Amino acid sequence: MIRDQETLNLLIDTVARFVKERLVPAEEIIAETDEIPADIVAEMRELGLFGLSTPEEYGGLGLTMEEEVLVAFEIAKTSPAFRSLIGTNNGIGSQGLIVDGTEEQKQKYLPRLASGELIASFALTEPDAGSDAAAVRTTARREGDFYVIDGTKRFITNAPEAGIFTVMARTNPEIKGAGGISAFIVEKDTPGLSLGKRDKKMGQKGAHTSDVILENCRVPVANLIGGREGIGFKTAMKVLDKGRLHMSAICVGASERMLNDALNYAIERKQFGKPIAEFQLIQAMLADSRADIYAARSMILDAARRRDNKENVSTEASCCKLFASEMCGRVADRAVQIFGGAGYVSEYAIERFYRDVRLFRIFEGTSQIQQLVIARNMIREAQG
Ligand code: COS
């Protein structure tokens, strides 16, 4: 649902220019230092990138899903670290509040998230609860006006930067599955909250993850999202429906970048007396990648429009995440192949992208989890 094409075009053009002129030239330094320079973070704040999808009444740009994916296609044409920094505020870190938070909770946190003053992280995964998200072991025990939270969360994106965490914890130990889980906002400075060491990852330098350890962590009752126990798992699933669409769009943007790099290289690189782009076996890889990207882009736009029309897009979001992340892996692989030996050395960005995009098939639900969600929804619908 595009509300004002002209304003949207302006935003997309501004983001595209920012990516090209500021972010792409900074990729190398981020890969080397594992940090996004502070002046770039400040510019990202000024552009409103932390509040793309936060409703306007809380200080964000209030983009619809369709508008958001169009912007995401552009943001992803550079290192995923930039996207990662703004990603949790626009997506999984703040969505729990947006979809199920009370008015008071929204007022308290969303404006600061939209401005980028505060970073939010999403803390669902645990050492023994990854794909099986309902197996959360972290507990939240009510004591007067507080909940006492105990447990460990793993691979939490932006944990080192976060000011607040959306934490899924079991409030009812009698209910083993999803129904016993509640969602909380836990502030960074809450006594009992500490972080593990930064994870050393295969790629995505500049995007940080770590364990979040909660020991006897006392959180005010007012921070129970939605003010109701037992709805936390559903909150998390709704958050992921949107997150998966956003991630799919990121896969498209990254694929566009890799294909563009590969195309330019194929036009310049000469072998057997002519540019390798003139060889049909290279052309096949270029063409397959173009078709792959077009298919992903089209399905993401369709799913985004459906979500804007208030349809349940659980199946479509999983279809998009499955197809787009796998397609991104194929494009990365073909791009390295087109670069040949040059694709295996770090002189060219493709070596870095190849490692960076590997994560897309794993986080916010592995490809296998997307298959499972799609098939289960199909069976459920068929059985009425
Ligand atoms: N929107 C709203 N509610 C949802 C939902 C969605 N998209 N998906 C599930 N629910 C509800 C179900 O309707 C069910 O409610 P009822 O008990 O009232 O019927 C409840 O949530 C439990 O759902 P379900 O029985 O399907 O849960 P399962 O434990 O079987 O597991 C999967 C569901 C596997 C789909 C879930 O655990 C999952 O998505 N795992 C991957 C987690 C993930 O992406 N991790 C990445 C880390 S976060 S970056």
Side-chain angles (χ1 to χ4, degrees):
M1 200 193 336
I2 292 170
R3 297 155 308 166
D4 174 359
Q5 190 69 55
E6 212 174 309
T7 313
L8 179 67
N9 287 349
L10 202 65
L11 175 67
I12 291 173
D13 287 351
T14 307
V15 170
R17 204 168 340 109
F18 181 62
V19 166
K20 195 164 160 234
E21 291 171 7
R22 291 290 286 135
L23 304 188
V24 172
E27 287 176 4
E28 278 292 316
I29 190 87
I30 287 154
E32 275 165 31
T33 61
D34 196 17
E35 297 290 345
I36 303 178
D39 56 335
I40 292 189
V41 177
E43 285 176 57
M44 290 166 83
R45 283 201 190 105
E46 275 165 35
L47 282 172
L49 297 183
F50 286 90
L52 291 173
S53 58
T54 314
E56 281 164 305
E57 64 260 44
Y58 305 106
L61 297 183
L63 298 191
T64 64
M65 195 71 224
E66 183 179 2
E67 292 166 345
E68 185 185 324
V69 297
L70 287 166
V71 174
F73 290 152
E74 297 304 321
I75 290 178
K77 290 180 181 168
T78 181
S79 287
F82 300 112
R83 187 293 322 167
S84 189
L85 186 65
I86 60 159
T88 48
N89 276 28
N90 284 300
I92 57 177
S94 66
Q95 271 303 305
L97 275 175
I98 293 176
V99 296
D100 282 335
T102 62
E103 189 49 43
E104 212 182 339
Q105 291 167 342
K106 291 180 187 179
Q107 297 279 1
K108 184 166 180 196
Y109 296 109
L110 289 179
R112 283 189 290 153
L113 292 174
S115 68
E117 178 194 333
L118 195 65
I119 302 281
S121 276
F122 181 70
L124 172 64
T125 301
E126 297 182 0
D128 295 312
S131 289
D132 185 4
V136 161
R137 282 198 195 165
T138 296
T139 54
R141 189 167 33 85
R142 176 104 190 227
E143 263 186 22
D145 288 340
F146 289 86
Y147 281 94
V148 183
I149 305 187
D150 283 282
T152 298
K153 296 294 180 177
R154 182 138 295 172
F155 308 139
I156 304 306
T157 299
N158 287 340
E161 284 80 21
I164 59 167
F165 298 86
T166 304
V167 174
M168 266 52 68
R170 192 169 298 283
T171 37
N172 188 343
E174 309 283 301
I175 305 177
K176 293 282 173 251
I181 298 171
S182 305
F184 297 88
I185 295 294
V186 183
E187 297 189 6
K188 175 187 79 172
D189 297 328
T190 313
L193 187 150
S194 61
L195 303 181
K197 279 196 302 211
R198 273 193 205 174
D199 298 317
K200 287 187 183 162
K201 307 190 298 322
M202 175 192 282
Q204 301 231 359
K205 284 274 162 31
H208 308 136
T209 63
S210 78
D211 277 6
V212 177
I213 302 139
L214 304 129
E215 282 170 317
N216 215 5
C217 191
R218 291 169 72 80
V219 176
V221 167
N223 285 20
L224 171 66
I225 293 184
R228 269 174 61 205
E229 290 189 6
I231 58 164
F233 185 80
K234 288 186 188 175
T235 302
M237 291 298 116
K238 286 187 263 182
V239 166
L240 285 171
D241 281 347
K242 174 168 188 290
R244 287 166 182 168
L245 273 180
H246 173 85
M247 274 320 305
S248 307
I250 297 299
C251 293
V252 165
S255 301
E256 297 255 20
R257 162 67 183 275
M258 294 186 290
L259 181 58
N260 195 41
D261 283 7
L263 174 64
N264 288 335
Y265 185 80
I267 290 168
E268 275 166 27
R269 168 80 174 162
K270 287 200 177 70
Q271 285 293 275
F272 304 102
K274 54 183 178 181
I276 61 170
E278 288 179 25
F279 292 105
Q280 291 181 341
L281 293 178
I282 297 288
Q283 290 176 356
M285 289 193 276
L286 293 172
D288 284 353
S289 300
R290 181 84 266 151
D292 256 348
I293 293 171
Y294 180 48
R297 195 185 159 94
S298 304
M299 68 197 284
I300 292 163
L301 284 168
D302 174 71
R305 286 180 195 128
R306 287 173 187 272
R307 187 174 187 278
D308 287 336
N309 284 334
K310 311 271 181 272
E311 288 179 40
N312 177 347
V313 294
S314 168
T315 302
E316 288 75 12
S318 284
C319 287
C320 288
K321 171 71 167 51
L322 171 64
F323 185 82
S325 63
E326 292 290 331
M327 142 347 246
C328 189
R330 289 194 293 275
V331 171
D333 195 64
R334 290 184 199 120
V336 170
Q337 200 67 16
I338 290 170
F339 272 87
Y344 201 69
V345 295
S346 59
E347 189 187 338
Y348 291 92
I350 191 61
E351 180 270 342
R352 175 163 37 81
F353 269 90
Y354 182 79
R355 288 181 287 110
D356 286 350
V357 304
R358 186 62 185 83
L359 185 60
F360 295 160
R361 288 149 67 190
I362 298 171
F363 70 179
E364 297 200 21
T366 59
S367 291
Q368 290 67 32
I369 284 293
Q370 311 309 332
Q371 290 172 314
L372 191 144
V373 170
I374 297 163
R376 280 178 16 164
N377 288 350
M378 287 168 65
I379 294 163
R380 203 171 294 143
E381 277 164 30
Q383 288 173 339

